[in-house]
Amino acid sequence: MKADYDLRLRAHSDRLDRTLETVYGERSDFNEWLERLHAMMAAAALARPAHLVALDAKRLAAPDWLLQSDTIGYSAYVERFGANLKGLIGRIPYLKRLGVRYLHLLPFWKARAGDNDGGFAVSDFLAVREDVGDIQDLVALTKALSEAGIALCGDLVLNHTADDHPWALAAKAGDRTAQGYYHLVADNDQVAAWEAGLIEVFPETAPGNFTWNDQIGAHVWTTFYPFQWDLNWSNPDVFLQMARIVLELANMGVEVFRLDSAAYLWKRLGAACKGEPESHLLLQALRAVCDIVAPAIRLKAEVIAPVCETVAFLGGEQAPECHLAYHAGLMTAGWASLAEGDADLARRVLNDAPPPPSGAGWVTYVRCHDDIGWMTLKPQIDQSPQRAQGRLEAISTHFSSGLTYARGESFQTGSGPGVHGLNGMAASLLGFDAGDARALDRLSLLYGLAFAAGGMPLIFMGDELGQSNDTSWRADPVRAHEGRWLHRPMFDEAAANGGDDRATAVSGAMAQLVAARRRLPALAPQTAPRVRDGLPDAVLGFGRGKGVLCLFNFSEAAVTADLPGAGRWRDLLTGADHGATIDLAPLGMAWLTVEAL
Ligand code: GLC
């Protein structure tokens, strides 16, 4: 074991030390600090349980296991999916039937009482929230999942702690060291200077980026809610503490980390403070720490931004960063293309997405626990000839006005004309609640895109059953201000047990996609999609590997598309054969493989 660690240390410590030197090297105590970091890493390696050392070896032997055509992800809240961590063990057979190999559980760590942003205001990164269990339950769950071939992905909120985290409590009590863990700004002028460059994540419910704290006598940087205090990553001890936490959680069996709000770590006056170069260096250093101590670990960047920005979080061949990043631009473009009945935006996003470096890939998805953020499409709208002011607004209104098949609600737009985000479960947004006859075709089309477009597809709990919006949040004083609860329902047990026509139809369609994807290795994330020109405007088409062509018709009308070459094309989804052309049904798709004549 020790020998393996030493080997990995030799292979990666240069990369680690040099990266950290770039960020923190000017500090007089840098060398002493680096020694502390290495001592912490060696201790974590020594404490790694035997079954996880074995997992490290297994993953090193097949490092791209997440990037295969048979890897499907699933994302859920512990309490909404299985009541608690113990209850989730009972859900394993369900996940296996669905073909899931990667389970992302939204934060289940000890969180502040009252509003805690759905668990994203963490009071203790190393303790489980009492209502869902304890650390023993977590370890038992990771083992049970692992035996079933499923890796657990946990959230790691890198950017902030709750305002009642011990560091925050100590900072409030006047402890200077703890105050150094946060960004404290003394006066209003400084706040104004910082704000000039910043954006607002929650302009309606949490305007501004700073919150005055009486006890400290300063403004605390709070990018998200006032009770989420941004950590000061220019303090190397913050890096050391967070690296220690990752390794401790990894030693409990958490294999993948969703690095929440990863873009916001580094602050620079005048800048938007989203994706600053130092944020990337810090993530690259964290990756090197993991590669050395626990190489099974996979890092997933939660960065919701245009695709040209998110791809940077996958790093480069020489500077690996995260293994996965959300393809937020493509997700949003799928919805936009549906609203427009035209594949223009989806095509532009795919054309703008550089292929990920080897060993890294996208997470492709339709819905998650957050809103659909329209601004991720801004660059593509700006470049298109139809960059009409109101284009995003029209797309958003399509889903939120109640005048179409969709039953969504806009998010954080307040009373202003702005376009921010959209809330709603996929089924409600796609026409099921309105009784629209094409609802299932729309859901299949968007999930089909997520399954085919070159990423690890992630199913959001309830979508596989066509679950609807949950409006119970409006009557709950703790959640009533937060529209994202609209799409965070309880798991519909009865529907999962087959007692419901809609669920049966949706889960049948989903199972067909899972099976077809498994049969088509070319759909694995490692082969990037090549967008095909010359198709009708409504049709998105891309090649995958050799002789595989996927087509998606975003219009409500049937279209005919030409097929390339002289071969015969077989549609894997229907089994039908096609020659020089294909007729696509309204909202229809085809996954074609060519057979030479
Ligand atoms: C991420 C989470 C979101 C949360 C925010 C602040 O974007 O996905 O739900 O509100 O971070 O932690």
Side-chain angles (χ1 to χ4, degrees):
M1 279 9 125
K2 170 86 171 65
D4 291 340
Y5 178 75
D6 288 343
L7 268 179
R8 296 197 299 265
L9 192 63
R10 269 204 294 282
H12 306 298
S13 70
D14 243 23
R15 167 160 61 99
L16 172 65
D17 297 355
R18 267 188 293 108
T19 310
L20 288 169
E21 199 178 352
T22 315
V23 185
Y24 300 126
E26 288 192 350
R27 303 175 65 101
S28 56
D29 59 352
F30 174 71
N31 287 331
E32 182 263 332
W33 173 84
L34 195 62
E35 268 172 38
R36 277 197 288 139
L37 176 71
H38 277 273
M40 182 280 288
M41 289 164 54
L46 211 61
R48 192 142 170 88
H51 69 284
L52 295 173
V53 171
L55 182 70
D56 287 335
K58 180 175 158 194
R59 296 306 192 209
L60 281 171
D64 288 344
W65 70 274
L66 274 170
L67 307 177
Q68 306 301 317
S69 70
D70 63 350
T71 305
I72 305 286
Y74 191 84
S75 172
Y77 285 92
V78 173
E79 67 282 11
R80 297 181 166 260
F81 184 40
N84 50 37
L85 292 172
K86 277 202 180 94
L88 281 182
I89 294 184
R91 293 280 184 233
I92 292 177
Y94 177 80
L95 294 172
K96 280 195 80 167
R97 276 198 301 280
L98 208 54
V100 170
R101 294 185 64 197
Y102 162 103
L103 174 64
H104 164 225
L105 293 177
L106 283 139
F108 47 81
W109 314 112
K110 188 169 172 219
R112 80 192 281 280
D115 186 13
N116 53 37
D117 187 20
F120 284 100
V122 178
S123 313
D124 185 344
F125 292 107
L126 294 171
V128 167
R129 228 171 55 223
E130 269 172 25
D131 61 309
V132 297
D134 57 25
I135 291 294
Q136 278 71 40
D137 296 337
L138 173 63
V139 172
L141 175 66
T142 61
K143 284 190 175 155
L145 284 168
S146 177
E147 275 161 26
I150 303 173
L152 179 69
C153 167
D155 261 289
L156 186 73
V157 188
L158 290 183
N159 179 66
H160 44 265
T161 72
D163 59 355
D164 68 347
H165 187 283
W167 301 336
L169 294 180
K172 287 187 213 177
D175 180 330
R176 292 272 165 185
T177 306
Q179 288 182 358
Y181 275 44
Y182 298 99
H183 289 278
L184 304 178
V185 176
D187 59 60
N188 293 340
D189 289 347
Q190 275 177 280
V191 166
W194 281 106
E195 286 283 12
L198 299 176
I199 52 157
E200 291 177 318
V201 179
F202 300 137
E204 188 182 335
T205 52
N209 288 277
F210 294 85
T211 303
W212 174 258
N213 184 273
D214 259 342
Q215 281 161 285
I216 306 179
H219 301 269
V220 184
W221 196 310
T222 54
T223 298
F224 296 89
Y225 280 104
F227 51 77
Q228 289 164 306
W229 289 19
D230 285 34
L231 284 165
N232 178 5
W233 284 77
S234 72
N235 177 347
D237 285 337
V238 166
F239 181 90
L240 203 149
Q241 292 280 11
M242 295 309 277
R244 179 180 62 82
I245 288 163
V246 171
L247 297 178
E248 284 198 31
L249 295 176
N251 281 357
M252 293 174 195
V254 179
E255 196 177 338
V256 188
F257 290 91
R258 175 184 179 278
L259 303 180
D260 183 72
S261 317
Y264 294 94
L265 307 187
W266 197 266
K267 323 291 190 193
R268 167 167 287 115
L269 192 63
C273 303
K274 202 175 172 194
E276 288 298 305
E278 289 84 351
S279 294
H280 288 287
L281 293 172
L282 290 167
L283 295 171
Q284 287 162 19
L286 195 61
R287 164 72 180 266
V289 166
C290 298
D291 287 347
I292 293 168
V293 181
I297 294 180
R298 293 289 174 269
L299 302 176
K300 173 170 75 165
E302 191 265 333
V303 172
I304 305 306
V307 69
C308 47
E309 292 171 37
T310 49
V311 73
F313 287 82
L314 296 173
E317 304 293 341
Q318 301 309 318
E321 206 165 309
C322 295
H323 302 81
L324 294 169
Y326 285 91
H327 211 331
L330 182 65
M331 180 275 291
T332 314
W335 290 95
S337 295
L338 209 52
E340 297 193 320
D342 186 310
D344 174 55
L345 287 170
R347 211 176 285 126
R348 283 176 188 278
V349 168
L350 282 180
N351 274 329
D352 286 354
S358 57
W362 296 110
V363 173
T364 41
Y365 63 118
V366 175
R367 287 300 290 114
C368 72
H369 69 288
D370 283 329
D371 56 303
I372 298 167
W374 299 118
M375 295 319 276
T376 54
L377 295 177
K378 183 100 180 19
Q380 286 76 32
I381 296 245
D382 286 349
Q383 289 151 17
S384 75
Q386 318 90 299
R387 60 168 176 272
Q389 261 288 316
R391 189 166 172 196
L392 276 179
E393 236 172 287
I395 292 168
S396 176
T397 307
H398 175 86
F399 292 107
S400 60
S401 67
L403 300 174
T404 67
Y405 55 77
R407 296 290 176 269
E409 293 179 14
S410 58
F411 181 57
Q412 299 289 332
T413 40
S415 49
V419 187
H420 194 97
L422 175 79
N423 293 321
M425 285 295 281
S428 301
L429 294 173
L430 294 170
F432 280 99
D433 298 1
D436 190 277
R438 293 204 173 123
L440 181 60
D441 298 331
R442 293 188 193 99
L443 195 116
S444 298
L445 185 78
L446 289 191
Y447 264 96
L449 179 61
F451 273 62
M456 180 190 72
L458 192 60
I459 300 170
F460 182 55
M461 188 212 83
D463 277 359
E464 79 281 15
L465 301 171
Q467 282 194 233
S468 290
N469 290 341
D470 172 10
T471 52
S472 64
W473 61 282
R474 288 196 230 278
D476 176 352
V478 178
R479 295 183 294 154
H481 63 283
E482 235 309 338
R484 288 176 295 171
W485 288 102
L486 185 65
H487 47 259
R488 299 171 180 174
M490 299 297 287
F491 183 67
D492 188 341
E493 191 83 53
N497 289 332
D500 168 330
D501 287 350
R502 183 202 292 190
T504 307
V506 175
S507 57
M510 201 73 89
Q512 197 204 3
L513 291 176
V514 173
R517 185 176 193 270
R518 204 176 272 153
R519 298 206 319 271
L520 253 186
L523 295 192
Q526 280 137 325
T527 48
R530 292 180 318 276
V531 174
R532 232 192 120 63
D533 295 327
L535 292 165
D537 290 347
V539 177
L540 172 69
F542 47 75
R544 302 298 318 276
K546 220 168 158 238
V548 177
L549 177 64
C550 300
L551 300 174
F552 303 83
N553 175 16
F554 282 92
S555 116
E556 306 267 335
V559 291
T560 301
D562 291 337
L563 295 174
R568 282 208 74 71
W569 292 88
R570 167 149 302 164
D571 183 355
L572 239 92
L573 296 172
T574 60
D577 281 339
H578 303 276
T581 62
I582 183 171
D583 295 327
L584 289 167
L587 303 160
M589 67 178 154
W591 294 1
L592 303 161
T593 54
V594 76
E595 285 162 29
L597 284 180

